Amino acid sequence: MDYNVFILVVKGKVNYSIYGEQIIAEKGDLVFIPSGTLRGAKNHESGEHQKYTVAFKLDETVNYSNPFPIEKKFHKIKTRTPEYVKHRFERLFVDSRGDKKFRSYICAGILQELLGMFARELESPTVTPSKVKYTSIIENYLLENYRENIEIEQLAKLINRSQSYTISIFKELMGQSPIRYIHQLRIIEACNLLLNTDMTIVAISDYLGYYDPSYFSRMFKKLTAMSPKEFAMYGHQVEVNALFS
């Protein structure tokens, strides 16, 4: 059976042949190849490459509530948020080999998020390289430090720009403010901990830097429409990442 293929190149370059046309994808490129495409791939002459590849199919007999967001033809773009996208592909890779009882829900949610981000970047206007650079710097910092207490002033200093400009460019490229992004990273991790560990809600709250369990619970419910206790009981029945789309 033929599959749609979704790829993130994380190192080097790769040569693709799409209906005989030669196309080069390099580090940071997202590639979508729809099912039925006459295709081939090989290492670029510059050396070996590394990539994450997801193969998936759609059940054409199902009447989806939302149409597939990407036109079914070959697409290649340079993602504006490479570290976050890499982080989500890595999570998809790990969870695809996780507990069989839950992995179909979790993996479907991550893939839906990635395809939605890809579609949004396809439709959005060209963004200046400086905005991409600044957003990447902020994004990398947040991914590494989201459990810490972070102020907008700190992020503005990272790129030597004003606080208002920092918030503006991050929201333009990421679709949300830096503070909401921090909370989203924390709550996604909280979902994972609630489903896959024996940590208490209080311990998870403290681990993620909230320290006040009641505030953690309010923020969790704000982002997921469920309390941490409810999610611990019923979270395996939902697509976790779809909660944050």
Side-chain angles (χ1 to χ4, degrees), residues 43-110:
N43 280 325
H44 187 263
E45 61 184 12
S46 61
E48 295 184 351
H49 68 277
Q50 294 179 4
K51 62 186 178 183
Y52 286 103
T53 301
V54 180
F56 67 98
K57 60 185 179 68
L58 296 173
D59 188 343
E60 301 296 340
T61 66
V62 175
N63 182 21
Y64 294 97
S65 57
N66 294 308
F68 189 66
I70 301 169
E71 185 180 357
K72 294 183 180 179
K73 67 178 185 179
F74 177 87
H75 294 284
K76 177 176 75 73
I77 64 170
K78 180 75 69 177
T79 178
R80 298 196 300 249
T81 56
E83 289 304 317
Y84 182 73
V85 170
K86 181 183 177 184
H87 170 73
R88 302 311 290 149
F89 267 93
E90 290 172 345
R91 173 57 68 181
L92 182 58
F93 178 80
V94 170
D95 284 328
S96 68
R97 287 155 175 77
D99 191 326
K100 292 182 179 179
K101 185 177 180 181
F102 304 133
R103 70 184 180 189
S104 63
Y105 294 99
I106 296 173
C107 292
I110 297 174

Side-chain angles (χ1 to χ4, degrees), residues 40 62 65 84 96 128 134-136 143 169 187 194 206 215 231:
V62 175
S65 57
Y84 182 73
S96 68
T128 62
Y134 293 150
T135 300
S136 180
L143 284 168
I169 62 165
I187 300 306
L194 286 166
D206 186 66
Y215 177 66
F231 187 86

Side-chain angles (χ1 to χ4, degrees), residues 203-216:
I204 292 173
S205 172
D206 186 66
Y207 173 77
L208 294 174
Y210 284 109
Y211 307 117
D212 179 356
S214 62
Y215 177 66
F216 164 67

Side-chain angles (χ1 to χ4, degrees), residues 2-6 32-35 39 54-58 68 72:
D2 204 2
Y3 289 82
N4 301 290
V5 181
F6 194 37
F32 174 74
I33 307 175
S35 62
R39 60 183 184 253
V54 180
F56 67 98
K57 60 185 179 68
L58 296 173
F68 189 66
K72 294 183 180 179

